[in-house]
Amino acid sequence: MDALCVSCDGSLKIPGDSYQGEIVSCPGCATELEIQSVDPLELALAPEPEEDWGE
């Protein structure tokens, strides 16, 4: 599947076996994107990991 990066509008290929919640990287700008939906394909910026602080 072809998609556009939400950050740089660069083209990226999403494998056909991808799933909702999977994180993919844009080859153009290295932004991490999360697959929000596979049908129709929808991408969003991946959430930043939160710090745990051992709690």
Side-chain angles (χ1 to χ4, degrees):
M1 297 182 278
D2 291 327
L4 292 178
C5 175
V6 298
S7 182
C8 73
D9 284 332
S11 179
L12 60 147
K13 299 244 184 242
I14 305 296
D17 62 349
S18 295
Y19 53 90
Q20 184 175 348
E22 184 175 356
I23 304 295
V24 294
S25 289
C26 174
C29 68
T31 298
E32 290 190 334
L33 305 166
E34 180 179 8
I35 298 174
Q36 297 287 305
S37 170
V38 290
D39 189 22
L41 183 60
E42 186 178 327
L43 300 174
L45 293 175
E48 292 292 323
E50 296 181 20
E51 292 199 31
D52 187 357
W53 299 103
E55 294 177 9

Coordinates of all heavy atoms in Angstrom, one line a residue:
M1 N 0.8 -1.2 0.0 CA 0.0 0.0 0.0 C 0.9 1.2 0.0 O 1.9 1.3 0.7 CB -0.9 0.0 1.2 CG -1.9 -1.1 1.3 SD -2.9 -1.0 2.8 CE -1.8 -1.7 4.0
D2 N 0.5 2.2 -0.7 CA 1.2 3.5 -0.8 C 0.5 4.5 0.1 O -0.7 4.5 0.3 CB 1.3 4.0 -2.2 CG 2.1 3.2 -3.1 OD1 3.1 2.7 -2.6 OD2 1.8 3.1 -4.3
A3 N 1.3 5.3 0.8 CA 0.8 6.3 1.7 C 1.7 7.6 1.6 O 2.8 7.5 1.1 CB 0.7 5.8 3.1
L4 N 1.2 8.7 2.2 CA 2.0 9.9 2.3 C 2.3 10.2 3.7 O 1.4 10.0 4.6 CB 1.2 11.1 1.7 CG 1.0 11.1 0.2 CD1 0.2 12.3 -0.2 CD2 2.3 11.1 -0.6
C5 N 3.5 10.6 4.0 CA 3.9 11.0 5.3 C 3.1 12.2 5.8 O 3.0 13.2 5.0 CB 5.4 11.2 5.4 SG 6.0 11.8 7.0
V6 N 2.6 12.2 7.0 CA 1.8 13.3 7.5 C 2.8 14.5 7.9 O 2.3 15.6 8.1 CB 0.9 13.0 8.7 CG1 -0.1 11.9 8.3 CG2 1.7 12.4 9.8
S7 N 4.1 14.2 8.0 CA 5.0 15.3 8.3 C 5.6 16.0 7.1 O 5.7 17.2 7.1 CB 6.1 14.6 9.2 OG 7.0 15.6 9.6
C8 N 6.1 15.2 6.1 CA 6.8 15.7 5.0 C 6.2 15.5 3.7 O 6.7 16.0 2.6 CB 8.3 15.2 5.0 SG 8.4 13.5 4.4
D9 N 5.0 14.8 3.6 CA 4.3 14.5 2.4 C 5.1 13.6 1.5 O 4.8 13.5 0.3 CB 3.9 15.8 1.6 CG 2.6 16.4 2.3 OD1 1.9 15.7 2.9 OD2 2.5 17.6 2.1
G10 N 6.1 12.9 2.0 CA 6.9 12.0 1.2 C 6.1 10.7 1.1 O 5.3 10.4 1.9
S11 N 6.4 10.0 0.0 CA 5.8 8.7 -0.3 C 6.4 7.6 0.5 O 7.6 7.5 0.6 CB 5.9 8.4 -1.8 OG 5.3 7.2 -2.1
L12 N 5.6 6.7 1.1 CA 6.1 5.5 1.7 C 5.3 4.3 1.4 O 4.1 4.4 1.1 CB 6.3 5.7 3.2 CG 5.1 6.0 4.1 CD1 5.3 5.4 5.5 CD2 5.0 7.5 4.3
K13 N 5.9 3.1 1.4 CA 5.2 1.9 1.2 C 4.9 1.2 2.5 O 5.7 1.1 3.3 CB 6.1 1.0 0.3 CG 6.5 1.5 -1.0 CD 5.9 0.6 -2.1 CE 6.3 1.1 -3.5 NZ 5.2 1.5 -4.3
I14 N 3.6 0.8 2.6 CA 3.2 0.1 3.8 C 2.9 -1.3 3.4 O 2.2 -1.6 2.5 CB 1.9 0.8 4.4 CG1 2.0 2.3 4.6 CG2 1.4 0.0 5.6 CD1 3.0 2.7 5.7
P15 N 3.6 -2.3 4.1 CA 3.4 -3.7 3.8 C 1.9 -4.1 3.9 O 1.2 -3.6 4.7 CB 4.3 -4.4 4.8 CG 5.2 -3.4 5.3 CD 4.6 -2.1 5.2
G16 N 1.5 -5.0 3.1 CA 0.1 -5.5 3.0 C -0.3 -6.2 4.3 O -1.5 -6.2 4.6
D17 N 0.6 -6.7 5.1 CA 0.3 -7.4 6.3 C 0.4 -6.5 7.6 O 0.4 -7.0 8.7 CB 1.2 -8.6 6.5 CG 2.7 -8.3 6.6 OD1 3.0 -7.1 6.4 OD2 3.4 -9.2 7.0
S18 N 0.4 -5.2 7.3 CA 0.5 -4.2 8.5 C -0.9 -4.2 9.2 O -1.9 -4.7 8.7 CB 0.8 -2.8 7.9 OG 2.0 -2.8 7.4
Y19 N -0.8 -3.8 10.5 CA -2.0 -3.8 11.3 C -2.1 -2.5 12.1 O -1.2 -1.7 12.2 CB -1.9 -5.0 12.3 CG -0.6 -4.9 13.1 CD1 -0.5 -4.3 14.3 CD2 0.6 -5.6 12.7 CE1 0.7 -4.2 15.1 CE2 1.7 -5.6 13.4 CZ 1.8 -4.9 14.6 OH 2.9 -4.8 15.3
Q20 N -3.4 -2.3 12.5 CA -3.7 -1.0 13.3 C -2.8 -1.0 14.5 O -2.6 -2.0 15.2 CB -5.1 -1.0 13.7 CG -5.6 0.2 14.4 CD -7.1 0.3 14.6 OE1 -7.8 -0.5 14.1 NE2 -7.5 1.2 15.4
G21 N -2.2 0.2 14.8 CA -1.3 0.4 15.9 C 0.1 0.2 15.6 O 1.0 0.5 16.5
E22 N 0.5 -0.4 14.5 CA 1.9 -0.6 14.1 C 2.6 0.7 13.9 O 2.0 1.7 13.4 CB 1.9 -1.5 12.8 CG 3.3 -1.9 12.4 CD 3.4 -2.8 11.2 OE1 2.3 -3.3 10.8 OE2 4.5 -3.1 10.8
I23 N 3.8 0.8 14.2 CA 4.6 2.0 14.0 C 5.5 1.8 12.8 O 6.2 0.7 12.7 CB 5.5 2.3 15.2 CG1 4.7 2.4 16.5 CG2 6.4 3.5 15.0 CD1 3.7 3.6 16.5
V24 N 5.5 2.7 11.9 CA 6.3 2.7 10.7 C 7.1 4.0 10.6 O 6.7 5.0 11.2 CB 5.5 2.5 9.4 CG1 4.8 1.1 9.4 CG2 4.5 3.6 9.2
S25 N 8.3 4.0 9.9 CA 9.1 5.2 9.8 C 9.1 5.7 8.3 O 9.1 4.9 7.4 CB 10.5 4.9 10.2 OG 10.6 4.7 11.6
C26 N 9.0 7.0 8.2 CA 9.1 7.6 6.9 C 10.6 7.5 6.4 O 11.5 8.0 7.1 CB 8.6 9.0 6.9 SG 8.9 9.9 5.4
P27 N 10.8 7.0 5.2 CA 12.2 6.9 4.7 C 12.8 8.3 4.4 O 14.0 8.5 4.4 CB 12.1 6.1 3.5 CG 10.7 6.2 3.0 CD 9.9 6.4 4.3
G28 N 11.9 9.3 4.1 CA 12.4 10.6 3.8 C 12.8 11.5 5.0 O 13.8 12.1 4.9
C29 N 12.0 11.5 6.0 CA 12.3 12.4 7.2 C 12.5 11.6 8.5 O 12.7 12.2 9.5 CB 11.2 13.4 7.3 SG 9.6 12.7 7.9
A30 N 12.3 10.3 8.5 CA 12.5 9.4 9.6 C 11.5 9.7 10.7 O 11.7 9.2 11.9 CB 14.0 9.6 10.2
T31 N 10.4 10.3 10.4 CA 9.3 10.5 11.4 C 8.7 9.2 11.7 O 8.4 8.4 10.7 CB 8.3 11.5 10.9 OG1 8.9 12.8 10.7 CG2 7.1 11.7 11.8
E32 N 8.4 8.8 12.9 CA 7.7 7.6 13.2 C 6.2 7.9 13.1 O 5.6 8.9 13.7 CB 8.0 7.1 14.6 CG 9.4 6.6 14.7 CD 9.7 5.9 16.0 OE1 9.1 6.2 17.0 OE2 10.6 5.0 16.0
L33 N 5.5 7.0 12.4 CA 4.0 7.1 12.2 C 3.3 5.9 12.7 O 3.8 4.8 12.6 CB 3.8 7.3 10.7 CG 4.5 8.4 10.0 CD1 4.5 8.3 8.5 CD2 4.0 9.8 10.4
E34 N 2.1 6.1 13.2 CA 1.3 5.0 13.7 C 0.2 4.8 12.7 O -0.5 5.7 12.3 CB 0.7 5.3 15.1 CG -0.1 4.2 15.6 CD -0.7 4.5 17.0 OE1 -0.6 5.6 17.5 OE2 -1.3 3.6 17.6
I35 N -0.1 3.5 12.4 CA -1.2 3.2 11.5 C -2.4 3.2 12.4 O -2.6 2.5 13.3 CB -1.0 1.8 10.9 CG1 0.3 1.8 10.0 CG2 -2.2 1.4 10.1 CD1 0.6 0.4 9.5
Q36 N -3.3 4.2 12.0 CA -4.6 4.4 12.8 C -5.6 3.4 12.3 O -6.5 3.0 13.0 CB -5.0 5.8 12.6 CG -4.1 6.9 13.2 CD -4.1 6.8 14.7 OE1 -5.2 7.0 15.3 NE2 -3.0 6.7 15.3
S37 N -5.6 3.2 10.9 CA -6.6 2.3 10.3 C -5.9 1.7 9.1 O -5.1 2.4 8.4 CB -7.8 3.1 9.9 OG -8.7 2.4 9.1
V38 N -6.3 0.5 8.8 CA -5.7 -0.2 7.5 C -6.7 -0.1 6.4 O -6.3 -0.3 5.2 CB -5.3 -1.6 7.8 CG1 -4.0 -1.6 8.7 CG2 -6.4 -2.5 8.4
D39 N -8.0 0.0 6.6 CA -9.0 0.1 5.6 C -10.1 1.1 5.9 O -11.0 0.8 6.6 CB -9.6 -1.3 5.3 CG -10.5 -1.3 4.1 OD1 -10.3 -0.5 3.2 OD2 -11.4 -2.2 4.0
P40 N -10.0 2.3 5.5 CA -8.9 2.9 4.6 C -7.6 3.2 5.4 O -7.7 3.4 6.6 CB -9.5 4.2 4.1 CG -10.4 4.6 5.2 CD -11.0 3.3 5.8
L41 N -6.5 3.2 4.7 CA -5.2 3.4 5.3 C -5.2 4.8 5.8 O -5.5 5.8 5.1 CB -4.1 3.2 4.3 CG -2.7 3.4 4.9 CD1 -2.4 2.4 6.0 CD2 -1.7 3.2 3.8
E42 N -4.9 5.0 7.1 CA -4.8 6.3 7.8 C -3.6 6.3 8.7 O -3.5 5.4 9.6 CB -6.1 6.5 8.6 CG -6.2 7.9 9.2 CD -7.5 8.1 9.9 OE1 -8.5 7.5 9.5 OE2 -7.5 8.8 10.9
L43 N -2.7 7.3 8.6 CA -1.5 7.4 9.4 C -1.6 8.6 10.3 O -2.3 9.6 9.9 CB -0.3 7.5 8.5 CG 0.0 6.3 7.6 CD1 1.2 6.7 6.7 CD2 0.3 5.1 8.4
A44 N -1.0 8.6 11.4 CA -0.8 9.8 12.3 C 0.5 9.7 12.9 O 1.2 8.7 12.9 CB -1.9 9.7 13.4
L45 N 1.0 10.8 13.5 CA 2.3 10.9 14.2 C 2.2 9.9 15.3 O 1.2 9.9 16.1 CB 2.6 12.3 14.7 CG 2.8 13.3 13.6 CD1 3.0 14.7 14.3 CD2 4.1 13.0 12.8
A46 N 3.2 9.1 15.5 CA 3.3 8.2 16.6 C 3.4 8.9 17.9 O 4.1 9.9 18.0 CB 4.5 7.2 16.4
P47 N 2.8 8.4 19.0 CA 2.9 9.1 20.3 C 4.3 8.9 20.8 O 5.0 7.9 20.6 CB 1.9 8.3 21.2 CG 1.6 7.0 20.5 CD 1.9 7.2 19.0
E48 N 4.7 9.9 21.5 CA 6.0 9.9 22.2 C 6.0 9.0 23.4 O 5.0 9.0 24.1 CB 6.4 11.3 22.6 CG 6.7 12.3 21.5 CD 7.9 12.0 20.7 OE1 8.9 11.5 21.3 OE2 7.9 12.2 19.5
P49 N 7.0 8.1 23.5 CA 7.0 7.3 24.7 C 7.1 8.1 26.0 O 7.8 9.1 26.1 CB 8.3 6.4 24.6 CG 9.1 7.0 23.5 CD 8.2 8.0 22.7
E50 N 6.3 7.7 27.0 CA 6.3 8.4 28.3 C 7.3 7.8 29.2 O 7.6 6.6 29.1 CB 4.9 8.3 28.9 CG 3.8 9.0 28.1 CD 2.5 9.0 28.7 OE1 2.4 8.7 29.9 OE2 1.5 9.2 28.0
E51 N 7.9 8.6 30.1 CA 8.8 8.1 31.0 C 8.1 7.4 32.2 O 7.0 7.8 32.6 CB 9.7 9.3 31.6 CG 10.6 9.9 30.5 CD 11.7 10.7 31.0 OE1 12.2 10.4 32.1 OE2 12.1 11.6 30.3
D52 N 8.7 6.4 32.7 CA 8.1 5.5 33.7 C 8.5 6.0 35.1 O 7.7 6.0 36.0 CB 8.5 4.1 33.5 CG 7.8 3.1 34.4 OD1 7.0 3.5 35.2 OD2 8.1 1.9 34.2
W53 N 9.7 6.4 35.3 CA 10.2 6.8 36.6 C 10.1 5.7 37.6 O 10.1 6.0 38.8 CB 9.6 8.1 37.1 CG 9.8 9.3 36.2 CD1 8.9 9.8 35.4 CD2 11.0 10.1 36.1 NE1 9.4 10.8 34.7 CE2 10.7 11.0 35.1 CE3 12.2 10.0 36.7 CZ2 11.7 12.0 34.7 CZ3 13.1 11.0 36.3 CH2 12.9 11.9 35.4
G54 N 10.0 4.5 37.2 CA 10.0 3.3 38.1 C 8.7 3.2 39.0 O 8.7 2.5 40.0
E55 N 7.7 3.8 38.6 CA 6.4 3.7 39.4 C 5.6 2.5 39.0 O 5.5 2.1 37.9 CB 5.6 5.0 39.2 CG 6.3 6.2 39.8 CD 5.5 7.5 39.6 OE1 4.4 7.4 39.1 OE2 6.1 8.5 39.9

